[in-house]
Each structure stands twice: as C-alpha cells, then as structure tokens.
C-alpha cells in the first residue's frame, strides 16, 4: 500500500505541476498558492467529515503543533517557492530541484533526531547534487535570442533556481516535521487524511495572513476574475494538495520514510515525456542524464 501510494503520488504531483504552471503564468505564484489552499481545505474537510465523521481532526495539541508547523514550512513557504520556480524556469527544472529535498530532510533529521550521515549517504548526496547541477548548467538551444533577452533569461533562471531551493528545503524539512507529528503521542501513525487536513489548514492560515500583511488582497481579488486560471488552480488542487498529499501521508505511514521519499521523487523523470507531448519542449541528452543521475542519488541516499 505504501509503495503504491508513493508512486501514484509522483504521478499526481507531475500532473499538478503542469496545471499550477499554467495558472501561475496567468495570475502569479502567490495567487495560485493562496487559492489552492482554500480549495484543498474544502475538499479535505468534506472528505474528512464523510469518511471519519468529524469536520476537524481529533488530534492532541502536540500533533496539531508539529503537523501545523510542517504545513507552514512545506506547503506555505515551500510551495510558494515551487510555484514561483514553475513560472521562472518551467515545470521540468522545477521538479528536478525537488530531488534535493531528501538532502534537506537528512539535515533536518540530523539536527532534530540525531541521525548521522554514513559514507554511502554522503555519496548519495553528492550524486544527487551532480545530477541537478548538470541540468541547471544545461544550455538553451535558442541561440538566435538577442543579448538583452539572453540576459533576462539568465536572471530568470537564477531566480528560478533560488525559488526551487526554497521549495526543496520546505519539502525536506516539512517531511521530518510531519513524521514527528504523526507519531508523536501514539505507537501508530495518525490517520493520513487527518494529517493532510491539519497541514493544509495551517498552511492556508499562514498564506492568507501573509497576503493580508503584504497588501496582496487586491491582487487576489483580481486573480479570481480569471476563470481560466482558476480552472487550472482548481484542477491542480484536486490532484495535488488533495489526493496527492493524502496519498503521500499514506506512503509515509505505511512504508519506510526513505523508500516513500525515493518513490515520490520520480517526477523529474516522469515529467520529461509529458512536457514533450504537451509543450513540445525537447529535452537534451544532458537534461535526461541529469534527471536520471539525480534519481539514482536519491535512491542511494535513502537505501543506506
């Protein structure tokens, strides 16, 4: 069950990356992050009420704290970085940056749980970073661009890589926080649906509080008028934060964390044929090689 859930999660997150990219290019990454939290919370609350009989999860204050913190770090801050990266460098490079999430998860586990790095784990980190670097340094095939356009593209790529790292850090740290919350007070993990709902609720509160203090409410009101963008956001919220995140909690609960994270890190490979079919974006051999090397590194890192 856990392994199957992890593989299906990768497939769903690959689909949601394309949907959120389309929405973000219409009205910005901040609006996408804000509205998809509201949509996902609505779906999760209704499903929680039908399947578990309560609108809100029955969890301890400690579980609410750690799962909520996981939601803020992983879904609030981390996903904002991911959506910004989608807009700046596209879905292929953005999801590849997610391959570095296990590295940040290992660092968080070291400081929070006292786990140490073995020589094989260090090898896995090195291999993963090597694959990511290969793709980041991959040159574009559009040599006819003017110098100003090339400079703008380079700046956009730099910002995209920065946001991708923010996203990977959020996902990695958030995974460790969610694991701690799920097993905090009981010998068995809390229900994955409850865990997903707590994470999304606190993430939504964080995002909308930031929107209020940052003066983004007029931007959000304008974004809701874009019906096409809202359709992309709603579809992405359904397959990603709702079904995908719930399945990711099933994967974390029902299999080893390392195996779950490895199988959920298949997006860089899965997305290559998808973007070729949808966007007609051809990937160079260096891009394919880098994606495969990064996945091999993740597998080494979590099978030590």
């Amino acid at each position: 069950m856990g392994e199957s859930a992890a593989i299906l999660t990768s497939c769903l997150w690959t689909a949601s990356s394309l949907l959120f990219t389309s929405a973000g290019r219409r009205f910005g990454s901040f609006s996408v992050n804000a509205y998809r939290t509201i949509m996902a919370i609505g779906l999760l609350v209704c499903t929680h009420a039908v399947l578990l009989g309560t609108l809100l999860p029955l969890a301890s204050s400690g579980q609410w704290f750690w799962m909520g913190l996981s939601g803020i770090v992983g879904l609030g801050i981390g996903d904002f970085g991911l959506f910004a990266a989608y807009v700046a460098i596209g879905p292929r490079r953005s999801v590849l940056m997610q391959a570095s999430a296990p590295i940040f998860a290992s660092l968080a586990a070291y400081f929070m749980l006292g786990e140490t790095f073995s020589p094989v784990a260090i090898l896995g980190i090195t291999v993963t970073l090597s694959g990511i670097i290969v793709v980041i340094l991959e040159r574009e095939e559009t040599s006819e661009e003017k110098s100003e356009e090339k400079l703008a593209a380079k700046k956009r790529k730099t910002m995209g890589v920065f946001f991708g790292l923010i996203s990977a850090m959020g996902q990695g740290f958030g995974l460790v926080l969610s694991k701690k919350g799920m097993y905090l007070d009981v010998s068995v993990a809390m229900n994955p649906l409850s865990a997903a709902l707590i994470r999304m609720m606190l993430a939504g509160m964080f995002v909308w509080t930031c929107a209020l203090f940052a003066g983004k409410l007029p931007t959000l009101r304008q974004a809701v008028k874009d019906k096409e963008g809202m359709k992309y956001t709603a579809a992405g919220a359904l397959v990603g934060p709702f079904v995908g995140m719930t399945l990711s909690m099933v994967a974390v609960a029902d299999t080893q964390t390392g195996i779950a994270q490895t199988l959920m890190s298949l997006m860089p490979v899965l997305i290559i044929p998808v973007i070729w079919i949808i966007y007609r974006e051809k990937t160079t051999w260096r891009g394919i090689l880098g994606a495969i090397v990064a996945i091999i590194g993740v597998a080494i890192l979590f099978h030590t």
Side-chain angles (χ1 to χ4, degrees):
M1 175 67 76
E3 288 84 351
S4 299
I7 293 174
L8 186 54
T9 297
S10 274
C11 296
L12 291 172
W13 283 350
T14 299
S16 68
S17 70
L18 301 175
L19 293 166
F20 287 140
T21 297
S22 298
R25 287 174 176 170
R26 295 185 69 89
F27 49 53
S29 56
F30 195 97
S31 297
V32 174
N33 200 17
Y35 282 115
R36 66 104 198 192
T37 58
I38 294 296
M39 296 171 181
I41 289 171
L43 291 168
L44 287 167
V45 167
C46 293
T47 306
H48 198 277
V50 171
L51 297 182
L52 301 181
T54 60
L55 288 176
L56 297 178
L58 300 177
S60 67
S61 58
Q63 287 175 317
W64 272 92
F65 173 79
W66 288 108
M67 294 305 301
L69 184 59
S70 169
I72 292 173
V73 172
L75 304 177
I77 300 173
D79 279 2
F80 168 75
L82 180 59
F83 299 150
Y86 284 158
V87 176
I89 57 177
R92 180 174 66 88
R93 287 195 178 96
S94 298
V95 298
L96 178 69
M97 297 297 295
Q98 298 299 293
S100 63
I103 298 173
F104 296 110
S106 298
L107 290 173
Y110 172 79
F111 288 106
M112 292 182 61
L113 307 176
E115 296 181 1
T116 57
F117 293 103
S118 67
V120 179
I122 295 175
L123 173 63
I125 291 173
T126 304
V127 173
T128 301
L129 289 177
S130 299
I132 293 173
I133 290 172
V134 167
V135 176
I136 290 175
L137 296 180
E138 177 188 15
R139 291 184 179 275
E140 309 294 342
E141 299 300 328
T142 54
S143 57
E144 298 179 358
E145 290 182 336
K146 297 179 181 179
S147 58
E148 310 90 68
E149 293 174 340
K150 288 184 178 180
L151 180 60
K154 185 176 181 180
K155 291 181 178 179
R156 188 168 58 250
K157 186 175 181 180
T158 301
M159 290 302 298
V161 170
F162 170 75
F163 285 125
L165 285 174
I166 294 295
S167 173
M169 291 173 65
Q171 182 180 339
F173 296 158
L175 182 70
V176 175
L177 292 170
S178 64
K179 187 77 172 183
K180 184 176 180 65
M182 291 182 76
Y183 287 96
L184 185 64
D185 296 330
V186 290
S187 58
V188 295
M190 68 186 299
N191 186 280
L193 186 59
S194 296
L197 178 54
I198 293 176
R199 293 190 77 205
M200 189 56 68
M201 287 178 66
L202 271 294
M205 292 175 61
F206 172 78
V207 170
W208 282 87
T209 300
C210 290
L212 178 63
F213 284 100
K216 291 286 187 178
L217 294 184
T219 302
L220 295 176
R221 283 195 294 267
Q222 185 66 30
V224 79
K225 298 178 183 179
D226 189 330
K227 295 182 179 179
E228 194 71 18
M230 293 301 291
K231 288 179 182 178
Y232 287 130
T233 304
L238 175 64
V239 301
F242 176 46
V243 181
M245 188 177 66
T246 302
L247 286 174
S248 74
M249 294 294 98
V250 172
V252 170
D254 290 351
T255 191
Q256 295 180 8
T257 306
I259 296 176
Q261 181 65 74
T262 301
L263 295 175
M264 288 189 293
S265 299
L266 294 175
M267 289 190 297
V269 173
L270 294 176
I271 202 169
I272 289 175
V274 175
I275 63 171
W276 185 84
I277 295 173
I278 295 178
Y279 296 125
R280 295 298 177 182
E281 179 183 323
K282 296 182 180 180
T283 304
T284 66
W285 66 267
R286 285 168 294 183
I288 297 174
L289 176 63
I292 295 174
V293 170
I295 294 300
I296 292 174
V298 171
I300 295 173
L301 177 62
F302 275 118
H303 285 80
T304 56

